[in-house]
């Protein structure tokens, strides 16, 4: 089982991704009966659905010789290795070694397992530290759980460290420039004063004196997940008002990430039907265009861009978020090192 050691630093932790959190790892439709192999937070994982449709997730490594379990077979509550047929259940315990009449491997927990929950059409996994803390319930903004809201999930793979993608969402002013031709970010001033307000779960970063005109505010939250919440306006020809976006960024490895955005509208009855129709037939393509603009710019940043920055007042939000995440990483690593120091030395 993979386990980080005292060599882990706060810098390496925040670079790879914070632990003791839920992270979205795939849209739900992408995991079926066939075992699916992924890498998230630099960890190789196999996911599959059992007979009841529940997703199981364990390390993508056969405990026998290290073959990828994702190349094997779905046996319901178990997955079987293609190489020698070794069977592992959803808790990481070896269930059978069919090539032997009996084996000391059977009944032994050899692999890390991942608690799973599904919400809003996405699969979330709980990534724990070396102390393997039990997961807390997934806590996200109400727009993702309240039945008064309805939304659509958009996921995209980006070739950058996940922290650059978070910086992009915390950067309010880029909407007025990069997305100036967008139906939702074409209006408003191209200058602004910024303000930061603390919240119970993080902070709110906003433009002073402008709301509902452009990309005018964003909330960063760290609950049992790291998320961002914002709203942008519709043009009147699309019904006016605002729609919300709730975003997550999941590290794949230190050079790649996935972005998850739920585009959400508060609507019911006929208005809900109109919103869904407009989104699929008019708005979805426009929203993909905006996301693609973000991806192209972020992936083209200069090498080691953070080390060469000259930030100004519009960057206050992302600076505060960087500090929050670095502090969280430091607390995690210190706690893990203390826990490891109390463990008996291996025999």
């Amino acid at each position: 089982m993979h386990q980080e050691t005292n060599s882990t630093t706060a810098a390496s932790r925040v670079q790879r991704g914070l632990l003791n959190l839920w992270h979205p790892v795939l849209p739900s439709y992408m995991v079926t009966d066939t075992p699916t192999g992924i890498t998230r937070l630099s960890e190789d994982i196999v996911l599959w659905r059992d007979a009841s449709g529940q997703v199981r997730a364990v390390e993508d490594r056969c405990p026998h010789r290290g073959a990828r379990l994702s190349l094997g077979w779905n046996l319901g509550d178990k997955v079987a290795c293609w190489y020698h047929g070794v069977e592992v259940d959803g808790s990481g315990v070896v269930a059978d070694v069919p090539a032997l009449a009996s084996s000391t491997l059977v009944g032994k927990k050899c692999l890390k397992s991942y608690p799973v929950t599904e919400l809003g059409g996405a699969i979330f996994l709980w990534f724990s530290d070396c102390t393997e803390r039990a997961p807390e319930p997934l806590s996200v903004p109400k727009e993702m759980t309240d039945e008064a809201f309805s939304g659509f999930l958009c996921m995209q793979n980006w070739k950058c460290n996940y922290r650059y993608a978070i910086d992009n969402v915390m950067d309010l002013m880029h909407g007025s420039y990069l997305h100036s031709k967008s139906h939702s970010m074409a209006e408003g001033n191209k200058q602004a004063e910024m303000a930061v307000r603390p919240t119970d779960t993080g902070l709110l970063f906003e433009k002073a004196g402008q709301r509902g005109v452009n990309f005018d505010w964003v909330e960063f939250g760290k609950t049992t997940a790291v998320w961002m919440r914002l709203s942008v306006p519709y043009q009147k020809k699309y019904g006016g008002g605002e729609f919300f976006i709730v975003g997550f960024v999941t590290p794949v490895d230190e050079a790649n990430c996935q972005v998850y955005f739920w585009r959400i509208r508060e609507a019911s009855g006929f208005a809900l039907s109109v919103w869904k129709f407009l989104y699929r037939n008019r708005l979805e393509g426009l929203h993909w265009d905006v996301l693609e603009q973000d991806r192209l710019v972020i992936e083209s940043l200069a090498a080691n861009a953070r080390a060469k920055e000259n930030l100004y007042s519009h960057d206050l939000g992302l600076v505060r978020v960087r500090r929050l995440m670095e502090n969280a990483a430091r607390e995690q690593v210190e706690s893990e090192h203390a826990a490891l120091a109390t463990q008996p030395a291996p025999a």
Side-chain angles (χ1 to χ4, degrees), residues 164-302:
Y164 286 111
I166 291 177
D167 287 348
N168 182 67
V169 181
M170 296 307 303
D171 175 8
L172 294 179
M173 210 63 213
H174 87 271
S176 297
Y177 290 88
L178 178 63
H179 307 311
S180 61
K181 302 299 183 182
S182 163
H183 75 100
S184 57
M185 285 176 273
E187 306 297 332
N189 293 328
K190 291 185 179 293
Q191 294 183 350
E193 296 295 324
M194 304 294 186
V196 176
R197 290 192 283 128
T199 67
D200 291 340
T201 58
L203 61 85
L204 186 74
F205 187 50
E206 58 190 338
K207 295 176 183 176
Q210 180 172 295
R211 183 63 71 99
V213 180
N214 199 289
F215 174 24
D216 295 328
W217 64 272
V218 59
E219 179 185 5
F220 174 86
K222 181 178 178 294
T223 51
T224 55
V226 169
W227 46 265
M228 291 152 291
R229 187 177 73 96
L230 59 101
S231 73
V232 292
Y234 278 129
Q235 291 181 350
K236 289 183 179 179
K237 66 180 179 181
Y238 295 122
E242 65 180 351
F243 73 95
F244 293 94
I245 297 175
V246 178
F248 300 76
V249 184
T250 300
V252 172
D253 53 32
E254 293 192 30
N256 297 275
C257 67
Q258 290 187 314
V259 296
Y260 291 78
F261 291 111
W262 277 264
R263 281 111 175 216
I264 301 170
R265 182 86 164 177
E266 184 175 9
S268 61
F270 179 70
L272 176 59
S273 298
V274 171
W275 142 246
K276 289 184 174 181
F277 176 82
L278 279 175
Y279 184 83
R280 288 302 191 195
N281 291 276
R282 295 288 187 274
L283 303 174
E284 186 172 22
L286 297 173
H287 293 175
W288 273 108
D289 289 344
V290 169
L291 192 59
E292 185 66 4
Q293 291 166 355
D294 286 322
R295 184 190 67 80
L296 287 171
V297 169
I298 297 302
E299 289 187 354
S300 69
L301 291 176

Side-chain angles (χ1 to χ4, degrees), residues 29-316:
Y29 76 87
M30 296 184 72
V31 177
T32 59
D33 294 339
T34 303
T36 301
I38 64 173
T39 301
R40 300 292 182 269
L41 279 75
S42 299
E43 300 181 19
D44 295 326
I45 305 164
V46 58
L47 303 94
W48 73 98
R49 290 190 186 273
D50 63 20
S52 68
Q54 172 67 39
V55 175
R56 308 294 186 100
V58 300
E59 282 183 79
D60 193 8
R61 173 182 64 82
C62 179
H64 172 217
R65 295 273 304 283
R68 297 285 192 185
L69 291 173
S70 55
L71 297 176
W73 302 284
N74 181 349
L75 301 180
D77 61 347
K78 300 174 291 186
V79 64
C81 180
W82 188 21
Y83 204 8
H84 298 94
V86 173
E87 299 174 11
V88 179
D89 68 18
S91 64
V93 172
V94 176
D96 192 18
V97 181
L100 294 173
S102 64
S103 170
T104 57
L105 274 178
V106 175
K108 184 179 294 185
K109 181 174 174 60
C110 294
L111 302 180
K112 180 178 181 177
S113 59
Y114 298 81
V116 182
T117 191
E118 292 191 66
L119 177 67
I123 297 165
F124 287 75
L125 298 187
W126 174 263
F127 288 78
S128 64
D129 60 21
C130 62
T131 63
E132 296 197 358
R133 286 176 47 181
E136 302 172 49
L138 175 58
S139 175
V140 295
K142 70 175 184 177
E143 288 86 357
M144 289 186 65
T145 58
D146 191 322
E147 292 183 356
F149 296 87
S150 179
F152 298 89
L153 168 61
C154 168
M155 184 277 284
Q156 195 174 44
N157 296 296
W158 287 12
K159 296 178 181 178
C160 66
N161 184 268
Y162 80 104
R163 299 175 72 197
Y164 286 111
I166 291 177
D167 287 348
N168 182 67
V169 181
M170 296 307 303
D171 175 8
L172 294 179
M173 210 63 213
H174 87 271
S176 297
Y177 290 88
L178 178 63
H179 307 311
S180 61
K181 302 299 183 182
S182 163
H183 75 100
S184 57
M185 285 176 273
E187 306 297 332
N189 293 328
K190 291 185 179 293
Q191 294 183 350
E193 296 295 324
M194 304 294 186
V196 176
R197 290 192 283 128
T199 67
D200 291 340
T201 58
L203 61 85
L204 186 74
F205 187 50
E206 58 190 338
K207 295 176 183 176
Q210 180 172 295
R211 183 63 71 99
V213 180
N214 199 289
F215 174 24
D216 295 328
W217 64 272
V218 59
E219 179 185 5
F220 174 86
K222 181 178 178 294
T223 51
T224 55
V226 169
W227 46 265
M228 291 152 291
R229 187 177 73 96
L230 59 101
S231 73
V232 292
Y234 278 129
Q235 291 181 350
K236 289 183 179 179
K237 66 180 179 181
Y238 295 122
E242 65 180 351
F243 73 95
F244 293 94
I245 297 175
V246 178
F248 300 76
V249 184
T250 300
V252 172
D253 53 32
E254 293 192 30
N256 297 275
C257 67
Q258 290 187 314
V259 296
Y260 291 78
F261 291 111
W262 277 264
R263 281 111 175 216
I264 301 170
R265 182 86 164 177
E266 184 175 9
S268 61
F270 179 70
L272 176 59
S273 298
V274 171
W275 142 246
K276 289 184 174 181
F277 176 82
L278 279 175
Y279 184 83
R280 288 302 191 195
N281 291 276
R282 295 288 187 274
L283 303 174
E284 186 172 22
L286 297 173
H287 293 175
W288 273 108
D289 289 344
V290 169
L291 192 59
E292 185 66 4
Q293 291 166 355
D294 286 322
R295 184 190 67 80
L296 287 171
V297 169
I298 297 302
E299 289 187 354
S300 69
L301 291 176
N304 198 19
R306 281 185 172 215
K308 304 171 184 177
E309 294 173 329
N310 291 280
L311 302 179
Y312 50 82
S313 60
H314 288 172
D315 303 309
L316 181 58

